[in-house]
Amino acid sequence: MAFDINTKILTVTDGQSLSAAATLAADVIRHGGLAVFPTETVYGLGADGTNAEAAQKIYAAKGRPSDNPLIIHIYDPKDAEPYSVTCSLYYALAEAFMPGPLTVIMPKKDTVPYSTTGGLDTVAVRCPSHPVAREIIKQAGVPVAAPSANLSGKPSPTAARHCIDDLAGRVDVIIDGGECDIGLESTIVKIDVDDGGEDYLTLLRPGAVTCDALRCVCPRVDIARAVSEQLAQDEKPLSPGMKYKHYAPRAPLVLLDGDGESILAFLQKRQSECRCAILCYDEEIPHLENKRLLPVGPRDDMKTQAHLLFSNLRLADSTDAEIIYAHLPPHTGLGLALYNRMIRAAAHTVLRLEK
């Protein structure tokens, strides 16, 4: 498909520019077009979630498989009512985490076309907290379907320049609202019902709202196999990011599993053998050559590592690296979200190192 759209780029610096940018983006969305805007997680590629043709434009612009469902973004948690079958657990989650980086999957109503839900009878609903996103959604007056604003498979965008690199000429407008705070996409949960009729949660994609935080609201939170494993080719993804290779830089990414001493020795050796980029801890910098190093923050600072992950993967693409190495994150807290993104970026390639 050929793209030759004259993409407008607006920068938000104050309240006046925010209002003008939101007015333009909302108008584009209401008329079936595509608008890129920042959220607290990553930049989103927005269209009218109730417009089947507009949703199809998202898939085309991204080169995204049509069975990969989209998330609809709403201004207020109660705005989910016309589009999904809510329940008391949804409102408990909303009270605890919305507006914020949580997406809840519930049965859809006929107001949401199947092109938005990837053919599923459920719909993913999120109420973002970013002021630019909220103003656009409020002015648009429709639920805004918005996956990450990148070409399918590439690292998600955490700054407007990433969106411009990927989507200029493919979308109507890009709103530059600065860097995203979190840097990883929202946590996604599905509300399920057990044999006794009690609601519980299935975690489909980890994010800044961690399992421990979710369990403060709902004691039972099951973790879907696809969080850490690959889906079979014939399995249908229940949420974005479950099935397809995601977040991948151009050079192969290899995750290193082992103690710090073994990993550092391996990295020192590889620096002398090949053109490798390294997503390294700050503590490792003095012990490595200053060649293609991409610092991710302190070893125990998961928040900083999450914030920098996607921008570092894109920076790796700007080097002449033939391979990229990074640490395998832990499976707890925010580390589980990092693990989920990185294992997909690496196509599940893990090298285990022993002393």
Side-chain angles (χ1 to χ4, degrees):
M1 182 176 180
F3 296 93
D4 57 358
I5 298 173
N6 181 22
T7 302
K8 296 180 180 179
I9 301 172
L10 282 73
T11 301
V12 172
T13 57
D14 54 24
Q16 185 174 354
S17 60
L18 188 159
S19 179
T23 298
L24 175 60
D27 187 64
V28 164
I29 289 169
R30 279 196 307 272
H31 288 86
L34 301 179
V36 170
F37 56 87
T39 77
E40 71 276 19
T41 56
V42 299
Y43 271 72
L45 169 56
D48 181 351
T50 65
N51 183 329
E53 291 183 2
Q56 289 166 358
K57 288 182 182 179
I58 291 177
Y59 289 108
K62 283 177 62 75
R64 179 186 178 100
S66 61
D67 68 343
N68 200 358
L70 306 175
I71 294 170
I72 63 167
H73 294 65
I74 56 177
Y75 182 75
D76 187 274
K78 69 177 181 295
D79 295 338
E81 290 294 341
Y83 313 108
S84 62
V85 180
T86 62
C87 62
S88 59
L89 179 53
Y90 165 73
Y91 281 105
L93 291 168
E95 183 176 358
F97 304 116
M98 296 181 188
L102 178 68
T103 295
V104 182
I105 295 179
M106 296 171 286
K108 85 174 191 70
K109 292 184 178 178
D110 290 341
T111 47
V112 183
Y114 282 107
S115 58
T116 295
T117 65
L120 298 174
D121 290 321
T122 55
V123 62
V125 178
R126 177 161 118 75
C127 178
S129 63
H130 195 287
V132 175
R134 291 184 59 73
E135 186 63 22
I136 290 171
I137 296 164
K138 182 179 181 181
Q139 291 197 32
V142 295
V144 178
S148 56
N150 56 297
L151 292 175
S152 187
K154 290 189 65 175
S156 294
T158 57
R161 64 183 181 276
H162 303 153
C163 308
I164 294 168
D165 288 345
D166 282 11
L167 297 177
R170 292 171 173 253
V171 302
D172 297 287
V173 62
I174 296 174
I175 307 300
D176 183 350
E179 288 194 8
C180 300
D181 291 337
I182 295 172
L184 296 181
E185 302 89 343
S186 62
T187 300
I188 298 180
V189 294
K190 183 174 181 288
I191 297 178
D192 287 312
V193 183
D194 65 20
D195 293 339
E198 294 292 324
D199 290 339
Y200 69 97
L201 297 176
T202 300
L203 177 68
L204 301 180
R205 185 176 72 187
V209 179
T210 65
C211 271
D212 287 342
L214 290 167
R215 287 181 177 126
C216 291
V217 176
C218 178
R220 179 179 171 185
V221 180
D222 294 353
I223 300 176
R225 179 174 59 85
V227 166
S228 56
E229 300 177 28
Q230 289 177 296
L231 285 184
Q233 285 301 310
D234 58 349
E235 285 188 78
K236 195 170 185 66
L238 298 177
S239 78
M242 289 187 71
K243 181 174 182 181
Y244 299 96
K245 183 180 178 182
H246 271 48
Y247 325 116
R250 283 194 292 267
L253 173 65
V254 176
L255 304 181
L256 304 177
D257 184 17
D259 65 275
E261 186 178 330
S262 298
I263 290 176
L264 184 59
F266 173 83
L267 292 174
Q268 290 169 334
K269 182 173 183 292
R270 291 299 287 162
Q271 279 194 308
S272 67
E273 295 174 339
C274 68
R275 299 192 312 275
C276 60
I278 300 172
L279 275 66
C280 61
Y281 296 138
D282 290 356
E283 296 90 333
E284 295 172 320
I285 295 173
H287 307 288
L288 294 167
E289 293 183 55
N290 188 22
K291 297 189 303 185
R292 307 178 199 87
L293 296 184
L294 303 169
V296 301
R299 184 185 305 272
D300 297 323
D301 187 349
M302 294 292 114
K303 185 175 180 180
T304 297
Q305 291 171 39
H307 177 73
L308 294 175
L309 173 62
F310 290 139
S311 60
N312 271 331
L313 291 179
R314 285 181 175 261
L315 282 173
D317 281 347
S318 68
T319 73
D320 63 346
E322 56 191 4
I323 192 167
I324 305 167
Y325 293 110
H327 292 267
L328 184 72
H331 290 205
T332 56
L334 188 57
L336 180 63
L338 270 169
Y339 176 89
N340 171 263
R341 305 317 192 276
M342 294 179 76
I343 203 72
R344 279 161 175 71
H348 291 261
T349 305
V350 178
L351 180 61
R352 290 177 172 80
L353 303 172
E354 299 180 359
K355 288 186 177 180

